Amino acid sequence: MRNLKLTVAYDGTDYHGWQSQPGVPTVQGTLEEILGRILDQPIRVHGSGRTDAGVHAHGQIANFTAEMTMDLDALDRGVNALLPSDIRVLAVEEVRLDFHARKSARSKRYEYHVWTSPVVSPFHTRYVHPVGHQLDVEAVDLATALFIGRHDFTSFSATSAKAEDRVRSVLEARWDRGQDEWVFRIQADGFLQYMVRTIVGTLIEVGRGRIAAGDISAMFEAADRAAAGPSAPAKGLHMVSVEY
Amino acid sequence: MRNLKLTVAYDGTDYHGWQSQPGVPTVQGTLEEILGRILDQPIRVHGSGRTDAGVHAHGQIANFTAEMTMDLDALDRGVNALLPSDIRVLAVEEVRLDFHARKSARSKRYEYHVWTSPVVSPFHTRYVHPVGHQLDVEAVDLATALFIGRHDFTSFSATSAKAEDRVRSVLEARWDRGQDEWVFRIQADGFLQYMVRTIVGTLIEVGRGRIAAGDISAMFEAADRAAAGPSAPAKGLHMVSVEY
């Protein structure tokens, strides 16, 4: 039995998210079907975490175990030859049998792309959330810093999220600003469903002057999704990497 | 009567090129339909030149004349609100009545994107031609320099191209090289159909060692499409700008 780690990039536009679901295209489902065809056995792929419909990934990590003798380069070429061009396996590595893409993860990094110019480039439209105007830099930076550290993120995650423990540690949260877009970068030891999108949606409201940076602490204390701002749309969200 | 100049960007993936054709989506046809709807009169848009099916544009220039009183900012916003997100009007300017997007053009710039790494990023796959391996830098640069200057480009254009005079002046031709892709930049006083794609297709063959840089002169002299290399695919071609 061998345990293989995959690094996967995908444009999530045309997928109903990572997780396999009957009757709709998903990234996990597509990978499992093609790996199963190449290795001639049913393959179950474990992702580091689900991404929602429309979310993109540059370095999603997944693993699967199989009895196989195939050379890893040949497997990589074969998988990419059969995958649609909006999903690519960037690397295949053999790892110890106790490696699990989700359970072994120590932290993850996400980016969220906000387009601040009035007209969105047709080459970026699938990957950014257009707000169409500048935001208040100072207020956003002040509020962003309040997310760093160990917090109960109940207010900043989907009410339907199943996690019992909603405390997560944010190791980094900052914005890089270009002429047309702002890029939010966040690293945490784990993410709840909609967590990045709700943090960003709240920060955009801060940048528009509709929420004061000082209100963030009260939002954490409320531990109630209704206390925070709206969730920003999926298409601006990019999973960047997983650290082990 | 007013004459309006449009700067237009589009992702050409889903269009049958610039030029209006019955029954299929084209960029010109889409612009004419939406401008006509907003201005409530038939609008004929003149582009600086046609782009073929699947070719992209970052700064295509077009103009149209109309009797209209509408504010140009309002027109720009209205057009972008109705256009699909893969076509954007980046600027609307009023110009002299004798300005014509094609006839007034002095030169144009194109880029061609060649992906040289084995795996194409899903975020670039619509915009690059994947060759999947490195090319011979020195041979390509030597051959590229031979395209600069005034030449008869009959061998490097579509046999079906209708131009009588196939002499064009290439003002600049060079490659910028990154880790994953090579970008060819070319500026000329005009381009024949398939000209950039045939130059690039020929240069790729040079980079693969299948054509010698020294053979380029003989290709020009032959004035025969069959003498040059294959045309590179449309999706790697990007119209960048038009100079007036």
Side-chain angles (χ1 to χ4, degrees), chain B residues 78-109:
Chain B
V79 172
N80 280 325
L82 293 179
L83 279 171
S85 61
D86 52 7
I87 305 178
R88 293 287 94 180
V89 172
L90 303 180
V92 181
E93 300 157 79
E94 184 150 11
V95 288
R96 288 169 40 149
L97 277 175
D98 62 359
F99 175 86
H100 186 285
R102 179 170 53 79
K103 293 175 190 163
S104 308
R106 289 192 300 123
S107 73
K108 284 184 205 167
R109 291 173 193 268

Side-chain angles (χ1 to χ4, degrees), chain B residues 5 10 26 30 33 35 37 52 64 82 88-89 92 102 128 135 141 145-146 163 167 190 192 211 215-216:
Chain B
K5 177 186 172 196
Y10 46 88
T26 67
T30 305
E33 193 262 319
L35 286 165
R37 238 200 288 169
D52 292 311
F64 68 93
L82 293 179
R88 293 287 94 180
V89 172
V92 181
R102 179 170 53 79
V128 303
L135 302 169
D141 281 349
L146 301 174
V167 174
L192 297 159
I211 291 177
D215 296 342
I216 304 289

